[in-house]
Amino acid sequence: PLMEATVSKLKPFLRLYETSMEFMNKQKTWYESPMGTHDPKDVENEVDRSWKMVSQLESDFSEIPCAQTLVANVREKIEQFRDKMPIIKTLGNPGFRERHWEQVSNTVGFPVKGGEETNLFKILDMGLDEYVPKFEKISEAATKEFNLEKSMRQMVEEWAEMEFTITSYGETGTYILQSMDTIQVLLDDHIVKTQTMRGSPFIKPFEEEIGKWEVQLLLLQEIMDEWLKVQSVWLYLEPIFSSPDIMAQMPEEGRRFTTVDKNWRDIMKAAIVDKHVLKVVEIDRILE
């Protein structure tokens, strides 16, 4: 019982030690890491958590003056760092690129570069925290551009693993497309999303890239529309023209079907080599 009572009494001291050491170690990392390494939201959450923990400990140590003095000291250090959050939120924006640092340089009137060598220590040494209100507009634009960039990368990633379901069709020796709904829904969704993004005033840095992506999606849609139409008619006609009697009675139509049938088989042979949906646009003259 005495040991349990002792452990219980020492717990607040342990919490104070752990909270203080954790905050100081992280604070050192935040000061020394290149700007943008840590998401400002994560930094703010960590600082708030430490501050709440220390504030709670202050009441736990209300009857132990020495410990209370130590808690107050730690809380003061946390509050001093909290004052740096506006500069961390602006110049520590993970969406910052070289173009944004150029805007920062133009704002302050001397060169400021991002990258490995620019950390919070250097930013504060340069006195840039005085310019926070002016940096907020740059940071806001960087965030919106970054979100557009992320959306674009996410779309590309979603298509990277998307494959056609291609199955052999009876004893014809060739293949057909199946289960196209998922691909069609994703394609429609991404075309709308891409066109909406192209209308954003913050798309300028990626205008060429998003333009090429839209062309690719629209081409894919056109190819798929034609492909499914041809497949539908081919499925109807193939059993008819596989009959020697029909071929004998309708030689002209039979020859025309044979030409289309050969094209169909060539396309499906090429498509099954790599089933990834976006690879299909690379098949020579596929739309034609």
Side-chain angles (χ1 to χ4, degrees):
L2 178 59
M3 188 175 77
E4 283 181 17
T6 307
V7 167
S8 180
K9 195 171 182 179
L10 287 173
K11 262 185 184 173
F13 291 92
L14 178 63
R15 281 214 313 276
L16 174 60
Y17 173 76
E18 288 178 339
T19 303
S20 305
M21 290 306 298
E22 187 182 4
F23 174 75
M24 286 191 281
N25 288 332
K26 284 184 176 174
Q27 180 182 242
K28 185 174 186 295
T29 304
W30 295 329
Y31 269 118
E32 295 175 358
S33 299
M35 293 300 283
T37 305
H38 304 280
D39 192 321
K41 287 179 184 173
D42 295 338
V43 175
E44 189 171 36
N45 289 339
E46 286 289 340
V47 173
D48 285 347
R49 190 177 64 80
S50 299
W51 187 84
K52 284 173 186 171
M53 178 68 77
V54 171
S55 297
Q56 183 186 334
L57 286 168
E58 206 165 10
S59 61
D60 291 345
F61 291 129
S62 58
E63 295 177 11
I64 309 172
C66 290
Q68 199 168 28
T69 302
L70 183 59
V71 173
N73 181 269
V74 174
R75 185 163 59 82
E76 188 181 347
K77 287 183 185 298
I78 295 172
E79 284 171 352
Q80 284 171 356
F81 189 83
R82 278 178 101 180
D83 292 341
K84 312 290 186 294
M85 281 312 303
I87 195 75
I88 293 170
K89 284 180 179 178
T90 50
L91 299 191
N93 188 328
F96 253 55
R97 301 290 180 264
E98 194 175 331
R99 61 183 178 274
H100 302 116
W101 287 107
E102 285 174 14
Q103 289 176 288
V104 167
S105 301
N106 294 336
T107 301
V108 299
F110 55 85
V112 182
K113 291 189 175 181
E116 292 294 320
E117 295 177 8
T118 304
N119 57 30
L120 186 55
F121 270 133
K122 289 195 175 181
I123 292 292
L124 295 171
D125 278 345
M126 286 188 268
L128 297 188
D129 45 336
E130 297 172 18
Y131 296 88
V132 166
K134 293 181 179 179
F135 294 156
E136 281 172 352
K137 285 185 180 178
I138 300 171
S139 182
E140 188 182 341
T143 298
K144 288 177 179 174
E145 289 169 10
F146 184 52
N147 288 338
L148 288 170
E149 188 180 4
K150 276 200 300 187
S151 293
M152 197 160 60
R153 299 279 169 267
Q154 193 177 350
M155 281 195 286
V156 173
E157 284 170 17
E158 282 185 61
W159 284 105
E161 300 303 318
M162 185 65 73
E163 292 187 352
F164 285 116
T165 303
I166 300 176
T167 56
S168 57
Y169 182 62
E171 296 178 4
T172 60
T174 187
Y175 310 90
I176 58 168
L177 297 173
Q178 282 194 325
S179 309
M180 295 291 287
D181 289 351
T182 305
I183 294 171
Q184 193 63 61
V185 167
L186 187 67
L187 184 57
D188 291 344
D189 178 49
H190 281 190
I191 287 172
V192 171
K193 194 181 284 186
T194 300
Q195 290 172 340
T196 304
M197 285 166 64
R198 282 200 71 192
S200 168
F202 298 97
I203 198 65
K204 196 162 183 61
F206 323 105
E207 204 163 18
E208 188 179 343
E209 199 177 343
I210 197 79
K212 286 178 181 175
W213 178 248
E214 183 186 19
V215 167
Q216 192 173 25
L217 292 182
L218 291 173
L219 174 60
L220 178 62
Q221 187 179 52
E222 206 174 344
I223 288 168
M224 280 174 50
D225 287 348
E226 293 297 329
W227 203 346
L228 291 173
K229 282 182 200 170
V230 173
Q231 175 166 293
S232 175
V233 181
W234 182 86
L235 285 170
Y236 172 70
L237 293 176
E238 194 281 332
I240 296 173
F241 284 104
S242 61
S243 162
D245 290 345
I246 298 288
M247 291 293 276
Q249 290 173 32
M250 305 172 70
E252 180 58 29
E253 289 81 356
R255 274 194 299 275
R256 287 167 64 191
F257 176 77
T258 302
T259 303
V260 176
D261 183 62
K262 182 182 181 304
N263 284 336
W264 175 262
R265 289 168 187 271
D266 289 345
I267 287 169
M268 296 312 292
K269 198 185 292 180
I272 204 164
V273 171
D274 188 341
K275 296 181 184 179
H276 287 93
V277 175
L278 287 184
K279 285 292 179 183
V280 81
V281 299
E282 298 172 15
I283 297 175
D284 188 40
R285 296 173 66 213
I286 184 163
L287 181 58
E288 186 184 341

